[in-house]
């Protein structure tokens, strides 16, 4: 491990963190730095990211959370990224452009399902939160391809970048 908790010292750019529960963020534009310097631009929650100084390693955790706490419009549902199978239960709210399948008490959580034009979406998003103070977060992008020898690798590559 290369952590230095002392007031003085110098980082080493040739070492990589041992623990994968860290991300390295560029302070000027908030890009994630992976591998040997590849920069991935991110859409940070509220447009805020760690800033100041040199690129820094930050503890992180991934969380799944609800997106809506009331019935969204069909356009708002289109922003959801996680699909869902057709629920086996009847819809709780069946009128309008958006049908709602969820808790019998009418509350919304990350397991609530919305239906628009026969397509089903989970009321959830996965976010990465920097746990240094929890105020910085970005959407956790999906991974479709784990390796080039995966089944249907070419199809998964297109899903990853589209």
């Amino acid at each position: 491990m290369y952590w230095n908790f002392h007031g003085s010292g110098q980082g080493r750019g040739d070492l990589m963190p041992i623990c994968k529960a860290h991300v390295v963020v560029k302070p000027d534009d908030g890009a994630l730095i992976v591998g040997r310097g590849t920069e991935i631009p991110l859409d940070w929650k509220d447009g805020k990211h760690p800033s100041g100084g040199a690129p820094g390693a930050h503890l992180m955790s991934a969380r799944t959370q609800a997106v809506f706490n009331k019935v969204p419009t069909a356009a708002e549902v289109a922003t959801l990224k996680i699909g869902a199978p057709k629920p086996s239960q009847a819809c709780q709210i069946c009128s309008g452009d958006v049908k709602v399948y969820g808790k019998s008490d009418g509350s919304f959580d990350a397991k609530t399902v919305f239906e628009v034009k026969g397509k089903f979406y989970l009321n959830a998003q996965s976010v990465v939160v920097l746990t240094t103070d929890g105020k910085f977060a970005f959407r956790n992008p999906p991974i479709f391809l784990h390796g080039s020898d995966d089944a249907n690798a070419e199809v998964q590559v297109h899903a990853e970048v589209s």
Side-chain angles (χ1 to χ4, degrees):
M1 222 159 174
Y2 66 85
W3 295 104
N4 179 356
F5 295 102
H6 303 288
S8 63
Q10 176 175 334
R12 289 189 47 192
D14 61 324
L15 300 177
M16 299 296 291
I18 294 171
C19 179
K20 293 297 183 184
H22 296 83
V23 292
V24 178
V25 178
K26 274 184 60 186
D28 56 343
D29 61 4
L32 195 67
I33 301 174
V34 297
R36 300 210 179 269
T38 302
E39 297 179 14
I40 300 172
L42 297 174
D43 184 19
W44 289 88
K45 180 181 178 189
D46 301 327
K48 298 177 184 174
H49 58 80
S51 60
H58 300 271
L59 293 171
M60 51 73 62
S61 66
R63 301 177 185 162
T64 301
Q65 60 191 32
V67 179
F68 301 108
N69 58 10
K70 62 182 177 121
V71 179
T73 65
E76 289 172 326
V77 170
T79 67
L80 295 173
K81 305 294 183 189
I82 304 173
K86 181 177 181 177
S88 58
Q89 69 196 57
C91 52
Q92 275 71 37
I93 300 174
C94 304
S95 60
D97 292 336
V98 179
K99 294 182 182 176
V100 180
Y101 302 82
K103 293 183 174 182
S104 58
D105 66 3
S107 64
F108 290 63
D109 62 14
K111 295 181 181 178
T112 301
V113 174
F114 299 116
E115 177 185 359
V116 176
K117 297 181 181 178
K119 294 185 178 181
F120 299 90
Y121 303 86
L122 199 58
N123 181 34
Q125 66 179 354
S126 179
V127 294
V128 173
V129 178
L130 303 191
T131 57
T132 48
D133 57 13
K135 69 180 180 179
F136 301 116
F138 58 88
R139 188 172 90 71
N140 192 9
I143 297 173
F144 299 98
L145 181 67
H146 293 280
S148 61
D149 58 346
D150 285 359
N152 298 313
E154 186 173 341
V155 172
Q156 292 176 22
V157 166
H158 291 287
E160 185 106 11
V161 297
S162 322

